[in-house]
Amino acid sequence: MKSLAIGLMSGTSLDGLDICLAEFEKQKQWTFQILKAETLPYSPDWENRLRTAIDLSADDLLELNSDYGFYLGQQVKEFIRKYKLENIDVIASHGHTVFHQPQRKFTLQVGDGRAIKLETNLPVIYDFRSQDVLMRGNGAPLVPIGDELLFSEYSACLNLGGFSNISLSSNGKRIAFDIAPVNIVLNEFAQQLGKSFDENGELARKGKVNKEVLNQMDSLDFYKQSHPKSLGAEWCHQYIYPILKDTETTDALATFTEHAAQQISNVINKNNIKDILITGGGAYNSFLIEKIRTKTKAEVILPRKEIIDYKEALIFAFMGVLRMNNEINVLSSATGSITDHCSGVIA
């Protein structure tokens, strides 16, 4: 049985909307093939609307939820037209995270799936995280179901996006958790220097590590907590930016890169990971990757570009297929919810 699905992913680093068309087939185990994929950069207006969504009033946030849903629908409709696509079984949309506070029983990804359905006239699954949060989980990370069923040949999978998160098998269970912020912070400081991001980590490479600031970040309580655990933009505003606020910008980039590499390596070393697949935008930050390589003995594997760029969108497409088949698509061992479950609202 083959399924054709489109996955939509917008990460906290706001580098654009990832659209991935993939074919999935289950025989003895699941296999996949990415057929078409692209990243659509946000216009300055959309980037600003999503970046500042955290400050909106309730009614403006509801308006954004609808507007962004129609925007997603229009982008998918154009993607389908451009590639003359047919027979798509489902569109699975992650939406764009504005709030993520599982300890208060809520998480919010804007982009109403019903608007996507109105634009495309195809089955749409959205809001994958809320059910898990209501079930006392973190609502994150969700990607481990894909790591377990599509990428099981690797000891661990590490995604370097707005935040770094890892998934690995431990005692026969797939565990996963957020490690530390990455691009959400690096992009913020790169933008102060007029760049949208720190390409290859070259800006950080020019800076000096501030040991005192580094020690403050390394001492934050989050890093001492056991998994499952997850991070949101609010955490960076509360803890990271105040620590870095008086540091010169290139030094802040150098210090934070060192911090992220150290926290990631601590997790790799503590779990005796032999080989690790690294994906997400941070995989292109050669300075960060060099630092991880020097701090750990694990074999660091950078896959082909389409996997680096679209693994998350691919897995959300896969989660949509699992949802359509009423199969488990969220692992409680990764999120901390009361049980494995099948999540996502069908529009």
Side-chain angles (χ1 to χ4, degrees):
M1 175 71 182
K2 291 183 178 179
S3 297
L4 212 53
I6 289 177
L8 304 178
M9 179 70 200
S10 175
T12 42
S13 43
L14 278 170
D15 44 8
L17 172 68
D18 292 339
I19 304 187
C20 176
L21 170 73
E23 183 179 78
F24 301 94
E25 185 174 11
K26 188 178 186 182
Q27 291 175 334
K28 280 185 181 167
Q29 58 191 54
W30 283 99
T31 57
F32 72 90
Q33 189 180 358
I34 294 176
L35 303 176
K36 298 284 178 202
E38 59 186 26
T39 300
L40 306 173
Y42 288 122
S43 66
D45 178 55
W46 266 115
E47 185 181 337
N48 183 56
R49 286 187 74 182
L50 295 172
R51 188 179 301 285
T52 58
I54 200 167
D55 301 318
L56 291 177
S57 63
D59 53 345
D60 287 340
L61 189 58
L62 289 167
E63 180 183 27
L64 176 67
N65 185 45
S66 299
D67 286 354
Y68 186 58
F70 283 112
Y71 168 85
L72 293 175
Q74 287 154 12
Q75 300 311 308
V76 177
K77 195 161 67 173
E78 175 56 27
F79 181 80
I80 290 169
R81 189 200 61 76
K82 178 178 173 182
Y83 294 112
K84 301 180 174 62
L85 306 179
E86 293 177 337
N87 305 319
I88 291 157
D89 295 302
V90 65
I91 297 167
S93 176
H94 171 267
H96 187 85
T97 301
V98 178
F99 295 108
H100 182 67
Q101 297 185 33
Q103 68 283 3
R104 295 174 66 191
K105 297 281 189 293
F106 69 82
T107 182
L108 177 69
Q109 288 71 44
V110 292
D112 196 319
R114 294 167 297 187
I116 303 173
K117 184 177 193 311
L118 286 167
E119 286 288 340
T120 61
N121 203 29
L122 288 165
V124 175
I125 299 175
Y126 67 110
D127 191 13
F128 285 95
R129 297 190 188 272
S130 295
Q131 177 172 293
D132 190 76
V133 168
L134 294 171
M135 292 171 69
R136 301 205 292 275
N138 275 273
L142 299 185
V143 163
I145 188 70
D147 295 342
E148 183 72 19
L149 298 178
L150 303 178
F151 293 95
S152 59
E153 68 266 37
Y154 303 101
S155 303
C157 295
L158 175 71
N159 182 65
L160 299 177
F163 298 89
S164 53
N165 49 63
I166 193 166
S167 114
L168 60 136
S169 270
S170 173
N171 301 321
K173 280 190 168 174
R174 174 69 54 172
I175 62 165
F177 51 94
D178 284 352
I179 300 176
V182 183
N183 296 338
I184 191 170
V185 174
L186 295 176
N187 291 0
E188 177 76 24
F189 285 98
Q191 282 154 17
Q192 291 177 21
L193 296 171
K195 306 279 187 186
S196 54
F197 65 100
D198 184 5
E199 191 168 357
N200 300 323
E202 294 304 328
L203 298 171
R205 206 185 281 275
K206 291 174 187 158
K208 287 194 181 71
V209 172
N210 182 319
K211 290 279 170 57
E212 190 183 330
V213 168
L214 179 65
N215 290 338
Q216 274 184 272
M217 289 191 291
D218 285 340
S219 302
L220 288 167
D221 277 347
F222 179 83
Y223 302 121
K224 301 184 187 84
Q225 291 167 22
S226 57
H227 62 81
K229 56 182 182 175
S230 65
L231 289 164
E234 303 98 312
W235 187 84
C236 299
H237 286 285
Q238 190 172 351
Y239 297 106
I240 296 293
Y241 298 130
I243 293 173
L244 288 168
K245 74 177 190 308
D246 296 325
T247 311
E248 195 274 323
T249 308
T250 43
D251 293 348
L253 282 162
T255 306
F256 190 78
T257 301
E258 176 70 24
H259 167 69
Q262 187 60 58
Q263 294 305 325
I264 290 162
S265 302
N266 288 349
V267 170
I268 294 171
N269 295 336
K270 185 180 172 187
N271 289 283
N272 298 314
I273 291 165
K274 305 284 185 291
D275 58 274
I276 188 159
L277 180 77
I278 300 187
T279 56
Y284 296 114
N285 185 328
S286 44
F287 187 48
L288 175 61
I289 298 297
E290 277 169 38
K291 283 188 169 292
I292 294 169
R293 279 195 161 119
T294 59
K295 293 173 187 290
T296 173
K297 292 191 175 80
E299 182 190 359
V300 169
I301 299 159
L302 297 174
R304 62 187 189 272
K305 189 177 189 307
E306 66 174 18
I307 302 291
I308 289 179
D309 291 348
Y310 300 111
K311 178 170 172 269
E312 281 197 300
L314 167 78
I315 290 178
F316 276 97
F318 181 53
M319 287 179 69
V321 171
L322 293 174
R323 176 70 183 90
M324 292 295 272
N325 294 332
N326 284 318
E327 292 186 38
I328 284 166
N329 64 1
V330 179
L331 298 173
S332 58
S333 58
T335 67
S337 58
I338 50 181
T339 184
D340 294 348
H341 56 102
C342 182
S343 184
V345 175
I346 299 177

